[in-house]
Amino acid sequence: MADTSAQDKNLPASQRRLEKARADGQVPRSRDLGHFAAIAAGSALVAAGAPHVSSALRQAVASSLRFDRAQALGAGAMSQRLGDLTATWAWAALPFGAAMIAVAIAGGFAMSGWTWTLKPLGPKFEVLNPFAGIGRVFSKQQMIDAIKASGLALVLGTIGAAWLKGHVMEFAGVLALPLPAAVAAASGVMAGGLVLLLIALALFAAIDVPLQLRLHGMRLKMSHQELKQEHKELEGNVEIKTKVRARMRERTKRRMMAAVPKADLVVMNPTHYAVALKYDDKTMTAPRVVAKGADLLALRIRDIAKDSHVPVLEAPVLARALYAHAELDREIPARLFAAVAQVLAYVYQLRAALAGKVPMPGDLPTLDVPVELDPHAV
């Protein structure tokens, strides 16, 4: 038998497979979208806070270059100064870094929604297999990622080289300016190059997002055998369910046959349908169906009833209506109360007549059965 992995997987993933993949942490992700969102957010923050950033930068540079003889000759003065400057720069960069991380996470959330699972962090010993590792290296996903990364590096490198070549003289002129003016001039020149890089990243993100969605769908495609197996898991094994239903029918049949001798009467049609009724005015509010069947099962109910001296009456319309609308071990429908009451009264009169208490009754009177309850009514 061919392995499922070798079969053609040309069917789209089912909803259950998609949900299972999400629970395992397998969702489409675009690194280019995260890179673009993070760099764009950082650039926007820098542009919005340019005056404050420029002022802080000038003060930090000026402070780092200003020291006296005591500080220069002190044993730990310069180390303390370096630590203070490092802490200052760290606190200045922390909000920008936190904002870039938050935006990058928001970009992933916007693409695939929120997914919380620890399964990707679990140990996967199959990754230690060198043969499987070689297969992953040369897989379609890895090849596409490698080509995309190379293309992105080539495009960004080309843009950066072209932009630096066109602005090399401006950077050279910055060296002749005082420090405050040099910082402001360099920031203005770099802003143009950053805009070009953001445009390139945006184009790559626009291409990568639908590409990752398509690759994710291709990875989760299913074969016919996998779809059948999933359907079998959801619906249950058909053979087992058939056996269970057959066993339940057999138990129900045995229970009905055991209840027929205790019934008050059996209504027939005259051979196609049979319904056994029982009524106890002390424990029941209405007659109850204790057995019913059609064709051979109806004949079996009739034979057991006769052997047990249970009255069997031929009332075709009532038998059909009870078989169609009354449920086993349940009370009869309210609309059939009148007809069943007529039959029970006739049976009680017949029993009294056989005991010599009353005259023998005549034929069974016409029963009050609604026409719409007869399944054979035209």
Side-chain angles (χ1 to χ4, degrees), residues 75-368:
M78 296 304 293
S79 298
Q80 180 65 32
R81 191 178 186 85
L82 180 61
D84 294 341
L85 288 174
T86 303
T88 301
W89 281 101
W91 281 108
L94 186 61
F96 294 98
M100 293 172 68
I101 293 174
V103 172
I105 294 175
F109 179 79
M111 181 176 177
S112 303
W114 177 259
T115 302
W116 175 256
T117 178
L118 297 177
K119 288 186 177 182
L121 301 179
K124 297 181 180 179
F125 298 103
E126 61 273 12
V127 300
L128 300 178
N129 187 347
F131 298 102
I134 293 175
R136 288 191 297 269
V137 169
F138 294 99
S139 64
K140 181 188 295 185
Q141 177 70 36
Q142 293 296 331
M143 295 297 292
I144 292 176
D145 289 343
I147 294 174
K148 184 165 59 67
S150 300
L152 178 61
L154 180 61
V155 170
L156 294 181
T158 303
I159 292 175
W163 182 82
L164 288 174
K165 183 179 180 180
H167 297 79
V168 64
M169 297 305 299
E170 297 180 28
F171 278 108
V174 168
L175 299 177
L177 298 176
L179 181 59
V183 172
S187 300
V189 174
M190 292 180 63
L194 187 60
V195 169
L196 294 178
L197 294 180
L198 286 175
I199 293 175
L201 288 174
L203 292 176
F204 270 86
I207 297 173
D208 189 57
V209 169
L211 177 62
Q212 294 300 327
L213 292 174
R214 181 176 177 82
L215 290 175
H216 180 70
M218 292 176 64
R219 285 194 299 270
L220 297 181
K221 277 189 174 182
M222 307 174 66
S223 65
H224 288 278
Q225 183 62 30
E226 289 175 331
L227 193 61
K228 289 181 180 179
Q229 183 64 29
E230 182 182 280
H231 181 74
K232 184 182 294 185
E233 292 174 358
L234 290 174
E235 301 296 332
N237 191 294
V238 178
E239 296 179 357
I240 296 177
K241 292 180 67 175
T242 302
K243 291 180 179 179
V244 171
R245 284 195 294 264
R247 186 172 299 178
M248 292 178 62
R249 286 195 299 267
E250 185 63 27
R251 290 180 179 177
T252 301
K253 180 180 177 181
R254 288 199 299 267
R255 188 175 70 252
M256 288 193 307
M257 296 302 103
V260 171
K262 303 176 183 178
D264 291 323
L265 78 155
V266 173
V267 183
M268 293 202 65
N269 177 33
T271 57
H272 293 295
Y273 301 101
V275 180
L277 300 173
K278 183 175 181 59
Y279 178 63
D280 185 356
D281 58 353
K282 296 180 181 179
T283 59
M284 301 178 186
T285 57
R288 185 182 297 269
V289 176
V290 295
K292 69 175 184 176
D295 300 328
L296 295 178
L297 185 57
L299 297 178
R300 178 63 177 159
I301 293 174
R302 182 198 62 183
D303 295 340
I304 295 177
K306 289 183 177 180
D307 294 340
S308 304
H309 306 288
V310 176
V312 179
L313 299 180
E314 292 188 7
V317 178
L318 179 60
R320 292 195 297 263
L322 286 171
Y323 184 84
H325 301 285
E327 298 183 10
L328 187 65
D329 295 330
R330 299 288 182 88
E331 295 180 352
I332 63 173
R335 300 183 65 184
L336 294 175
F337 281 180
V340 173
Q342 290 177 279
V343 172
L344 287 173
Y346 181 81
V347 170
Y348 294 154
Q349 290 179 4
L350 184 61
R351 287 179 176 176
L354 292 176
K357 298 179 179 180
V358 297
M360 185 66 66
D363 295 335
L364 183 67
T366 302
L367 302 178
D368 185 15

